[in-house]
Amino acid sequence: MFSEYVKRKKEIDSLIKNYFPRNNFNDILNYSIEEGKRIRPIIMLETFKILGGKSKMVNDYALALEFIHNYSLVHDDLPAMDDDNYRRGRESVHYKYGEDKGILAGDALLNYAYELLFETILENNDTDYIKAAKYISNASGKDGMINGQILDVQSDLNSLDKIKEMYKNKTCRLFMCATTVPAYLTHQSSEIIQEMEKLGYYIGMAFQLQDDILDLDQDKEINKVTYASFLDEKRTYNDMIDFTDKAIEILKKYNNNEFLIKLINYLRNREL
């Protein structure tokens, strides 16, 4: 990890550590969110900077995004989904606390994210803040992440287009939030909003394809259909580089882009 990323990760960690006041259920929520790379909130905060944003209220949007991401992981690990007993090198929430608590913890994180967004909107009374919150809601809902999860569990990914659609919704939509929400919060034009959407999509696809490459042997053992298994490792790698390059080309149009370009290159070379 490079030092600038570690510094920004620690800043997010400090906002999240023991976020919920201690009690039996809140302890489960804190366990659910206390680990993570914090990639999405870091991208949101950095995109906000390159678009000229200065208000600290973006922190609430970044935290809401991270809570939604962690809700999705808690539910992904459930027996009815991926049935994973370990996440980030330790017991997954349902495995440690029980399936019922896992379901409720995920529900609580999702709903609290919206509470946080509503509080910020009420304090600022800005139409673009409402649009930003709606964008996150749509990305997380039936036409976004949930649609991607449905495509995944249906197990009929028999074409590259279906795999791309699943990736766009399940993985890319929160990356798209990380880059597009700042465009709303800084009152950008529709053209820049659309460009930021593309940026998030390219980052998300590159991130997912690198995951496919790293997990190729493991996925082969369980016959999991992925981009890499549908094509091959070399073509997946080339496409990952292409998505990365497209993201960087967009960022080159903006000032103060150094950190995000460095982060994107770090993500494509990561080994975890």
Side-chain angles (χ1 to χ4, degrees), residues 30-241:
N30 285 327
Y31 181 86
S32 303
I33 62 176
E34 66 187 8
E35 298 288 340
K37 299 182 181 72
R38 314 303 188 202
I39 299 297
R40 293 154 190 81
I42 289 173
I43 290 174
M44 180 179 286
L45 295 177
E46 289 299 317
T47 305
F48 188 70
K49 288 179 186 177
I50 72 170
L51 293 176
K54 298 185 184 301
S55 171
K56 289 188 177 181
M57 62 80 210
V58 69
N59 289 345
D60 289 340
Y61 283 83
L63 287 176
L65 185 65
E66 183 70 356
F67 291 156
I68 291 170
H69 171 58
N70 280 276
Y71 127 76
S72 73
L73 299 182
V74 171
H75 279 191
D76 274 355
D77 290 339
L78 289 168
M81 296 293 181
D82 293 343
D83 195 15
D84 285 327
N85 292 339
Y86 293 89
R87 163 78 61 179
R88 297 165 174 161
R90 61 183 193 160
E91 292 174 313
S92 56
V93 176
H94 79 85
Y95 190 60
K96 182 177 178 67
Y97 294 104
E99 186 176 352
D100 51 354
K101 301 296 195 308
I103 293 170
L104 294 171
D107 291 345
L109 288 176
L110 176 63
N111 282 278
Y112 183 79
Y114 294 133
E115 288 182 44
L116 195 56
L117 293 175
F118 278 124
E119 286 176 8
T120 306
I121 290 167
L122 287 170
E123 290 173 5
N124 293 276
N125 191 28
D126 187 306
T127 301
D128 281 335
Y129 288 17
I130 297 171
K131 290 179 180 178
K134 183 177 184 295
Y135 191 89
I136 292 175
S137 179
N138 179 262
S140 309
K142 69 177 182 63
D143 296 321
M145 279 201 308
I146 292 175
N147 183 35
Q149 187 67 39
I150 289 170
L151 289 170
D152 192 14
V153 300
Q154 282 178 340
S155 300
D156 62 345
L157 299 171
N158 54 15
S159 72
L160 194 59
D161 285 342
K162 282 191 176 182
I163 294 172
K164 286 182 177 179
E165 182 183 359
M166 188 261 285
Y167 284 179
K168 178 181 179 181
N169 287 298
K170 187 173 179 180
T171 301
C172 296
R173 292 297 290 268
L174 292 193
F175 282 101
M176 292 163 71
C177 286
T179 56
T180 308
V181 163
Y184 283 112
L185 298 181
T186 54
H187 310 292
Q188 301 295 330
S189 66
S190 59
E191 289 78 16
I192 291 181
I193 289 171
Q194 291 171 10
E195 187 166 60
M196 290 298 103
E197 272 196 309
K198 289 180 182 178
L199 173 63
Y201 173 72
Y202 296 148
I203 295 172
M205 283 298 294
F207 185 89
Q208 182 59 61
L209 296 190
Q210 179 66 356
D211 268 359
D212 281 5
I213 293 167
L214 293 173
D215 296 339
L216 188 58
D217 291 338
Q218 176 183 315
D219 290 338
K220 282 180 179 178
E221 289 181 5
I222 59 175
N223 295 318
K224 182 177 180 179
V225 178
T226 68
Y227 199 103
S229 68
F230 196 85
L231 294 177
D232 56 54
E233 184 174 356
K234 182 177 180 180
R235 290 170 66 187
T236 301
Y237 177 81
N238 289 339
D239 286 351
M240 184 270 290
I241 295 298

